[in-house]
C-alpha cells in the first residue's frame, strides 16, 4: 500500500499506525519491522516517527547536519521484539527535543524528547529521539520543517492518541493499523504467554463455560 502511494500521487496518502510498538502502552518505541520492510521494498515519500534510539540520535548530533553515515538502529538494544536494522543514512535535521504540542492531548504542552535527529534512510525519513514517547502530535515532525501533508505515507508509533492530532490530514478511511512484533500488540493470540492456565478467554475460543 505504501509503495502504491509513493508511485502514484493521484492516490490518497495513508497513515500507518504501528500499534504493537506504542510507548503510551508500554512499548519500547524502537521496533524496526516497518522501517526495514519499507526500506527493503523501496518505498518513497515516507515519514516514520518517533523512533527511540539515544545512541543513534547522539551519533547524528556528533556528525552534524548533512552528514552521510551508516546508521545502526538499536545497536544497544537487547530485547528480541525490537530487532536491529542497518542502512546508509543522511542527517537532514537536528533539534534539542523541546517540542510544544499543537493538537489533541498534547496541545500547548511542552514535550521533552531529548536530542532529536531527522534521518533520511532511502525513501523514508525517520525522526529519532532520546526520550521514549509515543508519536501523539504532528509537532514531532514539524519541528524539522517537515510538511506532513506532502508525505505519501506516514508511520506513527502510537495506538490511538495520534488520531486527535493527525485527523485533519488523515481521516479514518486513510488510517491503517499494522500489527508487527511488539509489546503492545492488540492480537493477544500472538503473544508467547507462559504459566497461563489454559483454556482462557480471550486467548482460546474453542471451549465452553457454564456457572
Amino acid at each position: 500500500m505504501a509503495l502504491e502511494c509513493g508511485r502514484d500521487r493521484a492516490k490518497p496518502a495513508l497513515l500507518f499506525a504501528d500499534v504493537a510498538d506504542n510507548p503510551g502502552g508500554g512499548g519500547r518505541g524502537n521496533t524496526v519491522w516497518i522501517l526495514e520492510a519499507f526500506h527493503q521494498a523501496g518505498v518513497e515519500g515516507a515519514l516514520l516517527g518517533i523512533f527511540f534510539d539515544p545512541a543513534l540520535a547522539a551519533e547524528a548530533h556528533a556528525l552534524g547536519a548533512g552528514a552521510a553515515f551508516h546508521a545502526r538502529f538499536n545497536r544497544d538494544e537487547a530485547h528480541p521484539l525490537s530487532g536491529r536494522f542497518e542502512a546508509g543514512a543522511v542527517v537532514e535535521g537536528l533539534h534539542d527535543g523541546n517540542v510544544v504540542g499543537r493538537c489533541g492531548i498534547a496541545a500547548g504542552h511542552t514535550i521533552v524528547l531529548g536530542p532529536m535527529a531527522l534521518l533520511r534512510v532511502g525513501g523514508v525519513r525517520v525522526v529519532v529521539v532520546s526520550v521514549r514517547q509515543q508519536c501523539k502530535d504532528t509537532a514531532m515532525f514539524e519541528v524539522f520543517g517537515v510538511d506532513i501533508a506532502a508525505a505519501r505515507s506516514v508511520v506513527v508509533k502510537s495506538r490511538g492518541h495520534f488520531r486527535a492530532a493527525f485527523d485533519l490530514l488523515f481521516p479514518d478511511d486513510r488510517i491503517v493499523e499494522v500489527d508487527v512484533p511488539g509489546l503492545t500488540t492488540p492480537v493477544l493470540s500472538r503473544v508467547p504467554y507462559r504459566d497461563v492456565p489454559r483454556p482462557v478467554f480471550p486467548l482460546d475460543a474453542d471451549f465452553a463455560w457454564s456457572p
Side-chain angles (χ1 to χ4, degrees):
M1 297 168 74
L3 274 171
E4 292 175 359
C5 289
R7 291 169 177 168
D8 185 358
R9 299 194 67 84
K11 291 183 177 294
L14 296 175
L15 182 146
F16 299 90
D18 188 355
V19 297
D21 193 30
N22 171 29
R28 300 177 75 80
N30 65 357
T31 63
V32 301
W33 314 117
I34 296 180
L35 171 59
E36 182 178 48
F38 275 28
H39 183 264
Q40 291 180 352
V43 170
E44 293 291 337
L47 295 173
L48 187 150
I50 48 180
F51 194 100
F52 173 65
D53 193 330
L56 185 56
E59 182 178 12
H61 275 258
L63 292 171
F69 71 114
H70 186 73
R72 295 181 295 151
F73 290 81
N74 288 343
R75 75 190 74 177
D76 296 331
E77 176 61 77
H79 198 287
L81 292 182
S82 296
R84 293 187 178 181
F85 172 66
E86 300 184 16
V90 175
V91 182
E92 288 202 339
L94 300 169
H95 195 270
D96 64 9
N98 294 313
V99 177
V100 178
R102 295 184 57 242
C103 331
I105 64 171
H109 297 175
T110 298
I111 307 168
V112 179
L113 298 172
M116 300 172 65
L118 177 66
L119 306 182
R120 178 178 289 279
V121 184
V124 184
R125 287 186 290 173
V126 185
V127 175
V128 181
V129 301
S130 302
V131 176
R132 186 181 287 110
Q133 175 65 263
Q134 68 170 301
C135 188
K136 60 188 179 184
D137 201 282
T138 57
M140 295 174 174
F141 292 105
E142 293 165 341
V143 292
F144 292 105
V146 170
D147 181 5
I148 300 174
R152 301 305 302 143
S153 57
V154 178
V155 181
V156 296
K157 288 184 175 290
S158 176
R159 177 66 178 92
H161 284 312
F162 73 90
R163 290 177 181 268
F166 290 82
D167 61 349
L168 294 177
L169 298 171
F170 298 96
D172 286 347
D173 61 350
R174 289 166 54 194
I175 294 174
V176 182
E177 294 191 354
V178 183
D179 183 62
V180 293
L183 291 172
T184 60
T185 173
V187 185
L188 300 183
S189 61
R190 298 180 183 176
V191 178
Y193 291 104
R194 293 176 297 181
D195 302 322
V196 176
R198 306 298 285 267
V200 61
F201 182 83
L203 302 184
D204 301 295
D206 298 326
F207 70 94
W209 177 86
S210 61

